Amino acid sequence: MTFSIHILTLFPEFFDGPLKASLTGKAIERGHFDVQITNIRDFATDKHNKCDDLPYGGGAGMVMKPEPLVGALEKAREQQPKAPRILLTPQGERFDQHIARELAEGPGMILTCGRYEGVDQRVRDHWIDREISIGDFVLTGGEPAAMVLLDATTRLLPGVLGNEESIADESFGEDDEMLEYPQYTRPRSFRGHEVPEVLLSGHHARIEEWRRNKARERTRARRPDLLDDQE
Ligand SMILES: C[S@@+](CC[C@H](N)C(=O)[O-])C[C@H]1O[C@@H](n2cnc3c(N)ncnc32)[C@H](O)[C@@H]1O
């Protein structure tokens, strides 16, 4: 069964470029996963196609109305009864490689992009399964966050990357949580800066050891929290 991603948004055009570019575009073309975009506005119920309204109780900004959002969520659910309905929000659990791996195991996901001040709480309480944030900052809308989830999750699907080893080896890997070691490519000397000798030695065991040490050093300096569990 193909992994299916359904994105609910007020700005479908946001995804035109990112879904065509690079590895993501190729993977969709090859059928490794599929993406459907739904314009929430198509489910507006009043004659002005309104999707936002003033907050009860007053205050700044507008709130996304429940009718169009729930219409779009119900349609998506009909098509994908088993996919989690996710709301992108800075108030959600923090997205990381563990969640990406977990989502990649599933049948797909329904990604709901918020706008304005946020989403009517009743939609969050009754039509959303999971709330996810991509970090402690506030975006204008959920679209870039949806693209982050899509990218990080789909590159873990079988066949998408081509070289499966690159997943095992990279930062936040399944076996150890360390950051990746430094990488070099040709030329051997660039503006007076040399590639470390050991990488040119052809000695696989020494190269492995150097990489392990560098990964640990870098992780200790930048993300000691990742080592806490392992030491
Ligand atoms: C301006 S934000 C609303 C922020 C909201 N007033 C709050 O304080 O939590 C508009 C939309 O952008 C999206 N968004 C903003 N920051 C995000 C983040 N860090 N992760 C995921 N989605 C985010 C959400 O969909 C949100 O509904």
Side-chain angles (χ1 to χ4, degrees):
M1 210 177 69
T2 315
F3 191 85
S4 293
I5 300 175
H6 198 149
I7 301 175
L8 313 182
T9 173
L10 285 169
F11 295 92
E13 66 276 15
F14 176 93
F15 297 94
D16 288 351
L19 290 180
K20 286 207 186 89
S22 179
L23 211 76
T24 306
K26 279 203 196 90
I28 295 172
E29 229 176 82
R30 291 185 184 142
H32 289 304
F33 64 95
D34 60 58
V35 183
Q36 187 178 341
I37 312 272
T38 287
N39 190 341
I40 296 167
R41 203 170 294 284
D42 292 345
F43 293 85
T45 48
D46 75 347
K47 62 176 191 287
H48 302 294
N49 288 340
K50 231 169 113 84
C51 289
D52 60 320
D53 211 333
L54 294 166
Y56 274 120
M62 302 295 272
V63 177
M64 284 178 82
K65 284 168 67 61
E67 304 91 324
L69 256 178
V70 168
L73 278 160
E74 284 179 342
K75 181 82 188 299
R77 177 93 309 186
E78 255 171 47
Q79 292 174 5
Q80 281 182 271
K82 298 226 168 79
R85 295 162 297 184
I86 296 169
L87 175 69
L88 284 316
T89 162
Q91 300 166 22
E93 60 186 309
R94 182 99 60 89
F95 187 60
D96 63 11
Q97 195 70 7
H98 294 282
I99 301 181
R101 276 197 284 268
E102 187 194 323
L103 291 171
E105 294 289 315
M109 47 195 179
I110 297 165
L111 300 176
T112 312
C113 305
R115 280 271 159 179
Y116 319 117
E117 275 310 302
V119 169
D120 187 289
Q121 186 60 40
R122 292 165 293 185
V123 180
R124 296 167 66 168
D125 289 343
H126 303 290
W127 284 273
I128 292 292
D129 301 308
R130 192 166 184 177
E131 298 194 358
I132 295 183
S133 162
I134 61 160
D136 289 347
F137 43 80
V138 179
L139 301 165
T140 312
E143 287 76 11
M147 200 53 222
V148 166
L149 259 70
L150 182 152
D151 187 301
T153 302
T154 56
R155 70 194 287 286
L156 301 176
L157 299 174
V160 169
L161 279 193
N163 178 5
E164 307 286 334
E165 261 184 58
S166 55
I167 292 181
D169 234 18
E170 67 192 355
S171 303
F172 316 111
E174 225 160 330
D175 301 332
D176 67 58
E177 287 266 305
M178 282 195 283
L179 303 181
E180 200 177 43
Y181 48 79
Q183 305 272 14
Y184 296 88
T185 185
R186 278 184 285 198
R188 191 171 163 160
S189 176
F190 179 67
R191 300 192 181 181
H193 304 287
E194 308 296 327
V195 171
E197 266 314 308
V198 61
L199 298 179
L200 311 169
S201 68
H203 195 299
H204 292 299
R206 275 182 52 216
I207 293 173
E208 269 309 298
E209 193 193 347
W210 180 87
R211 286 180 166 166
R212 252 198 321 278
N213 288 338
K214 285 288 176 193
R216 186 164 285 273
E217 211 175 274
R218 179 168 280 189
T219 309
R220 188 170 290 120
R222 297 182 184 186
R223 293 293 305 276
D225 57 302
L226 294 176
L227 290 173
D228 286 349
D229 305 340
Q230 295 173 40
E231 287 186 334

